Amino acid sequence: MKRWAGIVLVLTATGLLASPAPSTAKTEIQWWHAMTAVLGERVNEIAATFNASQNDYEVKAVYKGSYPDTLNAAIAAYRAKQPPHIVQVFEVGTQTMLSSGAVYPVFQLMKDHGIAVDWNDLIGPVKSYYSTGGNLSSMAFNSSTPILFYNKDLFKKAGLADKPPATWDEVEAMAKKLAGAGTKCGFSAAWPSWTLVENMHALHDQPFADQANGFDGLATRLQINGAFGVKMLELLQRGAREGWFVYNGRLNKAEANMGGGECGIFLSSSAYIGNLTRASEGKFVWGTGPLPRLSGYPQGSSIIGGATLWVMKGAKPEEYKGVAQFFKYLASTANQAWWAGVTGYLPLTNAAVKAMESSGHFQKNPQQRTAIDQMLGGKTTPNSQGIRLGNFVSIRDAIEEQMENIFSGKKTPKQGLDDAVAKSSEILKEFAALYR
Amino acid sequence: MKRFVFRNRWLPYALVAPQVAVTLAFFFWPAFDSLRLSLYRASPFGDRLIWAGLANFERLFRDPAYLRSALTSLVFSFVVTFAGLALALLLASLANAKIRGLAVYRSLLLWPYGIAPAIAGIIWLFIFHPSYGILPWLLSFVTAYQFNWFLKGWVAMTLIVMAAIWKQFGYNLAFYLAGLQAIEASVLEAASVDGAGPIRRFFAVTFPLLSPVTFFLFTLNMTFSFFDTFGLIHSVTQGGPGDATSILVYRAWKDGFEGLQLGFSAAQSVVLMALVIGLTAFQFRFAEKKVTY
């Protein structure tokens, strides 16, 4: 008898807990994302805070795997006519999404729901990368840009001053000194195509692809095998041969070497700050600097990486109302400043930069200042507004394949880059044939 | 053997129906869909489907990288299969000897099979990693040569081959061990009496008697190295450096699921399908004749 009473009690209790039933009346909004570890927790935090702030909508943040996995999941769901409302897509998927005919542009969504957003307050490179005709197609969310990291302990050991290299000449000289002092990897870089090819072209105002990097129409040909690209890769090939540049793999694999305290000078995303802070704790001290420049080329700007949030077609009007409300919340200065502060991603609006400045955030985290200064100090030109290519993932792959052939000495820089261009043209031609 | 005849005309069909349904749904349908898709340019979101005829195939065979990949796959599969089977047979013969603690050795040797290919890849990555792996560290005492598989294709290939062999090793061993134990002691004794030494006995008696097992394992290992090594490659080399470890199945996946070129990827699966059907048919046609049951 007693046992039964217990069970009844438990059942009633759970019933009571579950029963504030108006929650079932909430409109559910699916948000599919690719953020792992700490970043994933932050995403859940955003959803929870938004859900607690109002009673009409419930944002469900769902982790769907890597960026390509998330995109594939969204594609499959869309084809099965059950798309999520919001999906996070990495920057190389931008053209794919724009051409898909499956998205509800964000500026349109906000306009349709009468929510005024000052898009002009978005920092230049972010706005240019994700806008079409001045209108934002997807909601800017996590953007980063590559910066230079240096290991202060290794610098000291090699007898170098505590100052990051500002030019490639300095990178070479310092990396040689580091290697001479027994450093395993004088210089290395993560995301090889993004940091060493895409961003170097943009930073020096050199074209990456025709049609203004794909912004004026579908690009048909890469232009990375010009004098600048060849010069850049000649430098790196020489570095690999002489041992002061060590290639450590595609994606962010090289970060393991930097985090392990092996590399003196390193290029990676500004969003690496968080992980490097954790990896280096109690082991070594590091600093940051802007991307190194080659002398004799004009000033462009570094470009961004990361992802944006796309709204998919096929949902009900009241659900879109919720999405618009959620984006309004995301765009708020308070949320922008918080998100940038806890993740290391760029604050996306000038207002958020100001808010972080006035709260003294950068005094406490001077490393986070580097990327912002680099972005704001750059010049947005047709070559540095971003890169928009169909099937960009395959193209990046083709470039990195050839970078490996160049670094290992199998091909000359010119030959390797020519081959990458030829393969990319093929891929771009296919894309154009599909969306002509 | 007694011949069994069903009285009911429909019962036999009803009994095989579930199996046929499963095969149709999970094999024939996707296979025909790939076949269909390979003739189109298809957009990822399904809004565009443009007839392409044989353009996808033409693009494939014009691409020297694809032919290189085909060669890589064949070399990879043959090395993994031959080296893997030789090693398994050698160790199975040793494990078949009557020694103390035999049961323990046997179970330990079977372990790697229980490991998923991706995990096996990660384990070998730890051993081989240029900066934190133990093998490059040990080798650095012997030679100044840099075993950096981020840049050196042959090192990457060796790594993948070793991991694949190791992964499949337990499975091969189990079959060989069972095969060895099924061989009657009297046959081997008779050979001994006729004056054959251990090596002669192995090649004249044991190996021919094991031929059904070898044949089975050969087919299975070829398929394994052609398809199941995907996880291994994905977790370790991603097909690099350059395209040194980009085997056909990895390419098809990459172009389809990362590159979102669905028709092009489907064309690659069709080629793969044809290749495997051909290979299997060839094996059954020619190799099976040499097998004694």
Side-chain angles (χ1 to χ4, degrees), chain A residues 69-358:
Chain A
D69 289 348
T70 305
L71 179 54
N72 278 317
I75 287 172
Y78 180 80
R79 296 182 77 148
K81 306 218 177 326
Q82 289 179 318
H85 304 88
I86 306 168
V87 59
Q88 185 189 21
V89 177
F90 53 168
E91 90 282 12
V92 285
T94 304
Q95 183 63 55
T96 302
M97 295 305 283
L98 282 174
S99 302
S100 71
V103 298
Y104 186 177
V106 162
F107 81 92
Q108 194 67 48
L109 171 91
M110 298 312 254
K111 211 159 122 196
D112 292 350
H113 291 90
I115 296 171
V117 180
D118 182 10
W119 300 120
N120 286 322
D121 193 38
L122 281 172
I123 62 171
V126 173
K127 183 167 187 242
S128 67
Y129 206 113
Y130 298 113
S131 299
T132 311
N135 289 316
L136 207 66
S137 317
S138 57
M139 183 72 191
F141 183 58
N142 56 320
S143 293
S144 60
T145 199
I147 54 170
L148 181 143
F149 296 82
Y150 69 107
N151 184 321
K152 293 189 176 188
D153 289 14
L154 293 177
F155 265 51
K156 202 183 275 171
K157 221 178 90 188
L160 291 166
D162 180 7
K163 196 177 138 294
T167 65
W168 280 100
D169 287 341
E170 284 178 19
V171 168
E172 181 175 349
M174 290 181 179
K176 271 183 180 159
K177 251 192 156 168
L178 284 158
T183 302
K184 251 181 155 176
C185 113
F187 166 70
S188 192
W191 312 104
S193 167
W194 185 58
T195 56
L196 298 171
V197 180
E198 294 162 39
N199 265 286
M200 282 303 135
H201 278 78
L203 187 68
H204 296 91
D205 195 21
Q206 301 295 312
F208 183 86
D210 62 352
Q211 298 281 3
N213 287 354
F215 277 74
D216 289 352
L218 289 183
T220 57
R221 197 171 175 81
L222 298 197
Q223 297 180 325
I224 54 173
N225 55 348
F228 176 81
V230 171
K231 190 169 177 187
M232 195 64 231
L233 278 150
E234 269 169 3
L235 175 77
L236 292 166
Q237 188 186 49
R238 190 156 47 79
R241 198 173 50 231
E242 294 171 357
W244 53 266
F245 163 51
V246 179
Y247 177 74
N248 284 307
R250 297 184 196 181
L251 305 173
N252 61 341
K253 291 213 161 149
E255 286 176 353
N257 302 69
M258 180 64 196
E262 284 178 9
C263 297
I265 306 166
F266 189 71
L267 304 186
S268 187
S269 157
S270 56
Y272 178 48
I273 288 174
N275 283 337
L276 184 58
T277 305
R278 198 175 298 172
S280 64
E281 216 156 28
K283 293 190 193 113
F284 60 91
V285 189
W286 50 275
T288 55
L291 288 174
R293 290 185 49 87
L294 275 181
S295 54
Y297 287 95
Q299 173 74 45
S301 163
S302 69
I303 50 176
I304 53 169
T308 53
L309 306 182
W310 293 82
V311 184
M312 307 280 291
K313 280 184 182 162
K316 297 192 191 87
E318 71 264 25
E319 293 168 345
Y320 283 130
K321 212 171 144 195
V323 174
Q325 289 298 328
F326 178 55
F327 281 0
K328 184 183 166 196
Y329 167 78
L330 274 185
S332 69
T333 303
N335 179 66
Q336 284 293 327
W338 170 80
W339 168 251
V342 296
T343 58
Y345 282 114
L346 293 166
L348 300 178
T349 59
N350 293 311
V353 176
K354 276 201 199 90
M356 290 171 86
E357 252 161 17
S358 59

Side-chain angles (χ1 to χ4, degrees), chain A residues 72 75 100 391 394 401 404 430, chain B residues 41 44 47 59 241-242 257 259:
Chain A
N72 278 317
I75 287 172
S100 71
N391 287 333
S394 296
E401 210 175 283
E404 287 170 348
E430 282 299 310
Chain B
R41 288 194 173 92
D47 56 332
R59 187 179 158 203
F257 289 90

Side-chain angles (χ1 to χ4, degrees), chain A residues 330-386:
Chain A
L330 274 185
S332 69
T333 303
N335 179 66
Q336 284 293 327
W338 170 80
W339 168 251
V342 296
T343 58
Y345 282 114
L346 293 166
L348 300 178
T349 59
N350 293 311
V353 176
K354 276 201 199 90
M356 290 171 86
E357 252 161 17
S358 59
S359 72
H361 180 82
F362 295 125
Q363 259 115 51
K364 274 175 272 162
N365 305 281
Q367 321 295 13
Q368 284 194 12
R369 186 76 235 196
T370 307
I372 297 164
D373 286 344
Q374 179 177 294
M375 289 263 86
L376 299 178
K379 227 172 96 192
T380 305
T381 69
N383 295 327
S384 68
Q385 60 190 328

Side-chain angles (χ1 to χ4, degrees), chain A residues 24-107:
Chain A
T24 51
K26 277 191 176 184
T27 306
E28 193 181 297
I29 292 163
Q30 288 276 333
W31 174 18
W32 289 6
H33 67 86
M35 302 270 86
T36 51
V38 183
L39 295 174
E41 288 161 30
R42 299 304 185 206
V43 161
N44 290 336
E45 231 172 300
I46 294 177
T49 319
F50 173 74
N51 292 341
S53 73
Q54 42 74 46
N55 292 318
D56 301 325
Y57 309 104
E58 170 101 12
V59 171
K60 287 237 157 93
V62 185
Y63 170 67
K64 283 281 170 183
S66 68
Y67 280 133
D69 289 348
T70 305
L71 179 54
N72 278 317
I75 287 172
Y78 180 80
R79 296 182 77 148
K81 306 218 177 326
Q82 289 179 318
H85 304 88
I86 306 168
V87 59
Q88 185 189 21
V89 177
F90 53 168
E91 90 282 12
V92 285
T94 304
Q95 183 63 55
T96 302
M97 295 305 283
L98 282 174
S99 302
S100 71
V103 298
Y104 186 177
V106 162
F107 81 92

Side-chain angles (χ1 to χ4, degrees), chain B residues 210-288:
Chain B
L210 280 177
S211 61
V213 180
T214 306
F215 175 63
F216 166 76
L217 286 179
F218 180 80
T219 315
L220 214 93
N221 276 269
M222 283 301 279
T223 345
F224 162 80
S225 45
F226 243 92
F227 293 99
D228 284 0
T229 43
F230 166 81
L232 192 70
I233 289 172
H234 188 47
S235 62
V236 184
T237 64
Q238 285 93 41
D243 57 0
T245 55
S246 204
I247 63 170
L248 291 173
V249 67
Y250 194 69
R251 258 194 121 78
W253 174 81
K254 212 171 198 178
D255 285 337
F257 289 90
E258 277 200 338
L260 300 175
Q261 308 179 55
L262 300 181
F264 187 50
S265 172
Q268 297 183 42
S269 348
V270 169
V271 172
L272 261 176
M273 199 150 59
L275 214 62
V276 167
I277 291 173
L279 199 71
T280 316
F282 177 83
Q283 282 167 355
F284 275 91
R285 183 93 175 70
F286 295 100
E288 206 182 15

